[in-house]
């Protein structure tokens, strides 16, 4: 049996969807993925806990097993709302300081974070003997700019606005997104950290298969 810790990003950017009413926002998707993962874990006889964070940890459920634990996790997940900035590295460090027993840490986030500090914190968890799985949630609208001549972009965490000509920056934007995803993969996988991009327009089953592959390696 394993002990698993779900670490869920609930910052303001997680409440965004490129197609409201058609596509779920990233937090909706992350909550449902976390609930599905928790159900698989408890049915396998594992214990599972939850920490939700933005600038600080805002909710915590201590690891336990059994159906009642899953029901408690679902109740807490349903109450979470997006808000605040993102300091994933702070939450990861706090979690590392609390963990006395090696386990599986699953981070669900859009990774709009300080990349260097977050990568360092993830590597520290791995160095301490924990298995680490990162689900990078990405809305389809974050891969490509909208089909418009001009657009106004608003940072949901700072309210900073930027007006751009979409045609002028489309290619550079696409290249920047590709480079960012490649850098996360390149900087995590050599350290034994599983990294999986999750498209919020795709079924949850694809992300669950990534977890099951991880579980097979753990034995």
């Amino acid at each position: 049996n394993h002990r698993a810790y779900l670490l869920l990003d609930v910052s303001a950017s997680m409440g965004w969807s490129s197609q409201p009413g058609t596509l779920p926002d990233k937090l909706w998707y992350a909550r449902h993925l976390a609930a599905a993962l928790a159900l698989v874990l408890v049915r396998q006889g594992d214990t599972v806990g939850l920490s939700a964070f933005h600038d600080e940890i805002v909710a915590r459920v201590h690891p336990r097993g059994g159906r009642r634990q899953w029901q408690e996790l679902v109740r807490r997940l349903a109450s979470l709302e997006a808000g605040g900035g993102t300091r994933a590295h702070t939450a990861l460090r706090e979690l590392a300081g609390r963990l006395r027993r090696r386990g599986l840490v699953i981070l669900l986030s859009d990774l709009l974070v300080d990349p260097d500090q977050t990568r360092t914190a993830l590597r520290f968890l791995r160095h301490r003997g924990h298995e680490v799985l990162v689900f990078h949630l990405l809305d389809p609208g974050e891969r490509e700019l909208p089909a418009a001549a001009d657009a106004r972009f608003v940072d949901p965490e700072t309210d900073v606005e930027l007006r751009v000509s979409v045609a002028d920056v489309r290619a550079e934007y696409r290249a920047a997104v590709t480079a960012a995803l490649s850098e996360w993969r390149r900087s995590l996988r050599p350290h034994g950290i599983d990294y999986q991009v999750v498209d919020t327009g795709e079924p949850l089953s694809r992300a669950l298969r990534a977890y099951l592959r991880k579980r097979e390696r753990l034995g």
Side-chain angles (χ1 to χ4, degrees):
N1 293 347
H2 296 280
R3 176 170 292 193
Y5 307 87
L6 300 172
L7 193 57
L8 178 60
D9 181 355
V10 295
S11 59
S13 64
M14 289 288 287
W16 184 78
S17 168
S18 61
Q19 301 177 48
T22 301
L23 279 176
D25 61 52
K26 289 177 281 187
L27 181 55
W28 184 98
Y29 197 100
R31 289 201 312 258
H32 284 75
L33 177 55
L37 288 166
L39 183 59
V40 173
L41 286 159
V42 297
R43 284 185 171 179
Q44 291 172 329
D46 299 331
T47 61
V48 56
L50 169 71
S51 291
F53 69 92
H54 43 64
D55 289 320
E56 59 185 5
I57 292 180
V58 296
R60 183 180 288 112
V61 178
H62 295 291
R64 293 187 180 85
R67 186 169 183 81
R68 287 187 179 179
Q69 174 72 350
W70 182 73
Q71 292 171 341
E72 174 63 14
L73 288 166
V74 170
R75 185 184 70 80
R76 297 296 293 275
L77 286 166
S79 69
L80 295 173
E81 297 181 357
T86 314
R87 294 177 60 85
H89 59 282
T90 301
L92 288 165
R93 287 175 179 172
E94 181 174 339
L95 180 65
R98 289 175 174 271
L99 301 185
R100 297 291 180 265
R101 175 180 164 188
R102 293 177 181 178
L104 170 63
V105 177
I106 303 175
L107 172 64
L108 302 98
S109 171
D110 59 7
L111 294 182
L112 296 177
V113 296
D114 182 305
D116 291 334
Q117 293 194 66
T118 301
R119 283 191 279 262
T120 298
L122 288 167
R123 291 170 190 162
F124 178 71
L125 280 166
R126 187 72 186 98
H127 177 72
R128 293 285 296 271
H130 302 287
E131 296 294 332
V132 182
L133 174 57
V134 177
F135 285 115
H136 186 170
L137 281 88
L138 199 67
D139 184 285
E142 292 175 305
R143 288 186 181 271
E144 292 283 347
L145 291 178
D150 298 296
R152 178 172 61 90
F153 295 91
V154 181
D155 185 331
E157 296 182 7
T158 64
D159 292 327
V160 172
E161 296 187 12
L162 179 65
R163 294 182 181 274
V164 301
S165 169
V166 174
D168 290 343
V169 300
R170 184 183 299 279
E172 290 84 353
Y173 177 85
R174 185 186 299 119
V177 172
T178 300
L181 298 181
S182 296
E183 179 60 20
W184 278 108
R185 187 177 297 107
R186 184 200 65 78
S187 62
L188 295 180
R189 287 185 173 174
H191 294 272
I193 298 170
D194 289 76
Y195 170 80
Q196 184 74 29
V197 176
V198 178
D199 189 318
T200 59
E202 298 290 339
L204 287 168
S205 58
R206 295 195 177 187
L208 287 171
R209 281 198 294 271
Y211 160 73
L212 293 173
R213 289 193 297 269
K214 176 73 169 178
R215 177 66 186 231
E216 286 176 0
R217 293 196 296 274
L218 293 178

